[in-house]
Amino acid sequence: MVDRQALAQRLDAINQRISQACAQVGRKPDEVALLPVSKTFGPDAIAAMTELGFTRFGENRLQEVAQKAPALTDHGVQWVIIGHVQTNKAKEVAKYASELQSLDRLALAQALDNRLAAMNRTLDVLVQVKTSTEESKSGVHPDELIDFLKALSAYRTLKVKGLMTMAVLSEDRAAVRQCFEQLRQCQQAAIAADIAGASFDRLSMGMSGDMEIAIEQGSTEVRIGSALFGSR
Ligand SMILES: *Cc1c(COP(=O)(O)O)cnc(C)c1O
């Protein structure tokens, strides 16, 4: 059973954190979207969030989306893929995803483009940038980003809307801040490169533990899992 009251309370607390972080730097709370990250939580929790007005949900595994989607067909859920995608999962992305925030290589772009073209659809994408040196984090290296974006413009089914990153997992706020700052610098460079068909308005950065720093650095979208749904 989903504790709807607890869910609503945690949502209030997150909205307060977003408002306070915005107030600190003179931004408006409506400049920062909240993407609920529902990985490991069941269709009932997602359905409860749709009743609170959310339609987009972040997931990091296609297999999990395929398992949950049938129970949610009447809820108008839009799946946002935020985890590493294997090239052989392009078909599932084209089938389920309304958006992909973890595009990090041309082989995946090519495979997606083939599948999307066959389905006669387009896909909104954010390019994931590796702003941390941790082995476990994927993404395009900042030095290679502009060349990557230029190459991406060949794939007409992929609509580039911005950039995404995961900061280093650290207690050192300065180190976390540096990751988000780097994504903002990447955004400036991407805008200056004037790449046909792409826009870079969106910066998806910030999670349960570091959303305030991300908002300070210009996040337009925080991806929140545990602070909303509970610990995994
Ligand atoms: C799990 C996950 C999140 C949410 O993390 P929390 O710390 O639970 O808020 C955000 N982004 C990505 C890419 C994730 O995999």
Side-chain angles (χ1 to χ4, degrees):
M1 272 297 286
V2 178
D3 185 341
R4 282 155 200 275
Q5 201 181 346
L7 199 58
Q9 279 169 0
R10 286 193 296 259
L11 176 60
D12 277 347
I14 291 163
N15 283 330
Q16 266 178 38
R17 286 176 63 183
I18 293 173
S19 295
Q20 276 167 13
C22 284
Q24 289 285 327
V25 289
R27 300 184 64 196
K28 296 197 194 76
D30 65 4
E31 295 172 18
V32 183
L34 166 57
L35 177 69
V37 175
S38 47
K39 65 186 184 197
T40 78
F41 292 92
D44 45 354
I46 296 171
M49 279 304 289
T50 65
E51 287 164 24
L52 293 169
F54 290 81
T55 54
R56 300 167 66 240
F57 291 88
E59 290 279 347
N60 61 353
R61 290 175 60 238
L62 269 310
Q63 201 184 339
E64 197 175 325
V65 172
Q67 279 167 3
K68 293 176 191 177
L72 290 160
T73 46
D74 298 334
H75 289 78
V77 168
Q78 294 181 299
W79 301 107
V80 177
I81 307 303
I82 59 174
H84 181 74
V85 177
Q86 291 178 328
T87 307
N88 65 13
K89 289 285 193 299
K91 187 179 177 182
E92 281 75 16
V93 175
K95 179 175 177 189
Y96 292 106
S98 75
E99 181 182 322
L100 173 68
Q101 297 200 349
S102 46
L103 183 60
D104 61 354
R105 33 190 226 291
L106 289 177
L108 178 59
Q110 174 73 70
L112 285 169
D113 189 57
N114 291 342
R115 293 292 181 179
L116 292 162
M119 292 174 71
N120 200 19
R121 63 162 293 200
T122 62
L123 181 69
D124 285 355
V125 297
L126 304 186
V127 172
Q128 183 171 357
V129 179
K130 186 170 160 67
T131 57
S132 131
T133 53
E134 290 162 301
E135 277 293 324
S136 59
K137 302 283 196 308
S138 44
V140 178
H141 192 281
D143 292 345
E144 290 160 10
L145 180 64
I146 301 303
D147 284 345
F148 181 81
L149 294 172
K150 285 178 180 162
L152 258 195
S153 60
Y155 303 112
R156 298 296 171 79
T157 59
L158 302 177
K159 304 295 176 193
V160 178
K161 303 291 181 187
L163 306 175
M164 180 274 239
T165 202
M166 285 178 88
V168 62
L169 186 63
S170 169
E171 295 294 314
D172 178 359
R173 293 173 62 87
V176 172
R177 181 176 292 111
Q178 206 168 48
C179 293
F180 295 141
E181 199 173 1
Q182 186 164 36
L183 196 69
R184 191 157 44 84
Q185 287 162 358
C186 286
Q187 178 191 39
Q188 295 307 317
I191 291 169
D194 197 21
I195 291 156
S199 66
F200 296 96
D201 301 329
R202 294 178 52 195
L203 284 185
S204 172
M205 56 189 198
M207 318 200 311
S208 294
D210 58 17
M211 64 169 133
E212 283 84 358
I213 307 174
I215 291 168
E216 171 201 290
Q217 292 300 318
S219 173
T220 67
E221 177 163 343
V222 291
R223 308 179 305 269
I224 306 298
S226 51
L228 181 59
F229 291 105
S231 57
R232 290 185 293 271

